[in-house]
Amino acid sequence: MWHVEAAHFSSWVKSPSNFGTPSYHSTENTVENRVVDQANAQFECELRTKTLEQLATVDNESALLSDLLLFRWINNWSVKKTCTELAEKYQRGFIAERTYANYLKKALWEFAVICPRSLFVQKS
């Protein structure tokens, strides 16, 4: 587990949104707002994919877990297709859905250890 903790990914880029500007509610859909929203969405996506890339560098098991998250949540593949692709890529005979569920739990924990603290969201 210390390999995973050592791979903690720290983001060195800042979000493109303007934190220093005063916020007010506006019903206008200005070009500037759309550009900032698009840049923020792109930043969030890149931050998560870079975190998955960092997870994949730890070891072979973490690479499998990284691919599981990438295939299932980024590529939006079905569980069956994800299991099939993982089995083929990592020369595993067959990955059952129960095994997939166990891998998913482990993958989410490892992602939580590595991910930048700015990605954490408080549950309300």
Side-chain angles (χ1 to χ4, degrees):
M1 196 61 181
W2 64 271
H3 288 290
V4 174
E5 290 180 20
H8 175 73
F9 179 70
S10 60
S11 64
W12 51 270
V13 291
K14 297 239 181 226
S15 174
S17 65
N18 299 326
F19 291 111
T21 59
S23 64
Y24 59 90
H25 181 67
S26 173
T27 57
E28 295 178 23
N29 191 9
T30 63
V31 174
E32 294 84 11
N33 289 344
R34 284 183 279 167
V35 169
V36 169
D37 288 346
Q38 182 183 10
N40 282 333
Q42 184 66 32
F43 169 77
E44 292 291 330
C45 183
E46 287 178 7
L47 191 57
R48 282 162 178 79
T49 54
K50 286 181 183 179
T51 304
L52 287 175
E53 289 171 6
Q54 184 68 25
L55 177 61
T57 63
V58 175
D59 58 10
N60 287 338
E61 183 72 18
S62 295
L64 181 136
L65 300 176
S66 173
D67 282 340
L68 183 146
L69 293 174
L70 180 73
F71 294 163
R72 182 69 176 116
W73 302 115
I74 303 296
N75 295 346
N76 201 26
W77 291 356
S78 68
V79 172
K80 186 175 183 176
K81 183 174 181 179
T82 300
C83 291
T84 304
E85 291 295 322
L86 288 174
E88 184 179 307
K89 183 173 181 179
Y90 291 96
Q91 289 86 34
R92 309 253 171 140
F94 174 74
I95 297 177
E97 288 188 27
R98 187 175 190 141
T99 305
Y100 163 83
N102 291 335
Y103 283 159
L104 181 61
K105 286 180 189 177
K106 189 173 180 182
L108 292 173
W109 277 110
E110 287 196 15
F111 184 86
V113 169
I114 291 178
C115 78
R117 301 299 177 228
S118 63
L119 289 180
F120 289 151
V121 177
Q122 292 290 334
K123 259 186 137 174
S124 42

